Amino acid sequence: MNIRPLQDRIIVERVEEETTTAGGIIIPDTVSKEKPQEGVVVAAGKGKVTPEGKVLPLDVKTGDKVLFGKYAGSEIKVDGKEYLIMREDDILGVVE
């Protein structure tokens, strides 16, 4: 990827949800699917800069699986792939 996010911004690649149920039933794509609210951090900035000039490091790092709000971030397209770019504040939690 040729993009480096600035300050407290991160770039997230959405993770597609499973299309089968626990019982093995396959859910077709024609069922109204919402965009997943889970993704993997592919790039992260250095951190947020305080008014005093100090840099506060981010709590997330590249490779973390995160949950975010339904309307969080801005969609971007790089090399034919879709990503979300958002601030660290838009992340609701890290899946461990």
Side-chain angles (χ1 to χ4, degrees):
M1 176 178 299
N2 298 330
I3 296 179
R4 181 177 53 91
L6 300 176
Q7 294 187 2
D8 66 332
R9 289 179 178 84
I10 61 168
I11 298 178
V12 175
E13 182 176 9
R14 290 187 193 264
V15 175
E16 293 300 322
E17 295 177 1
E18 293 287 325
T19 56
T20 58
T21 63
I25 299 172
I26 298 173
I27 301 170
D29 287 340
T30 55
V31 175
S32 62
K33 287 175 68 176
E34 293 185 12
K35 292 185 178 181
Q37 297 174 5
E38 189 173 321
V40 176
V41 177
V42 294
K46 300 280 184 196
K48 191 170 193 169
V49 179
T50 65
E52 294 83 31
K54 294 182 183 178
V55 177
L56 299 175
L58 300 178
D59 289 333
V60 296
K61 61 187 179 305
T62 303
D64 282 350
K65 194 171 189 179
V66 295
L67 299 173
F68 48 87
K70 191 176 210 175
Y71 302 106
S74 300
E75 293 184 358
I76 59 171
K77 201 170 201 177
V78 179
D79 298 330
K81 283 186 153 185
E82 290 187 11
Y83 299 98
L84 283 172
I85 188 165
M86 64 181 74
R87 292 192 176 271
E88 186 185 31
D89 295 343
D90 292 336
I91 294 181
L92 303 174
V94 177
V95 179
E96 295 182 351

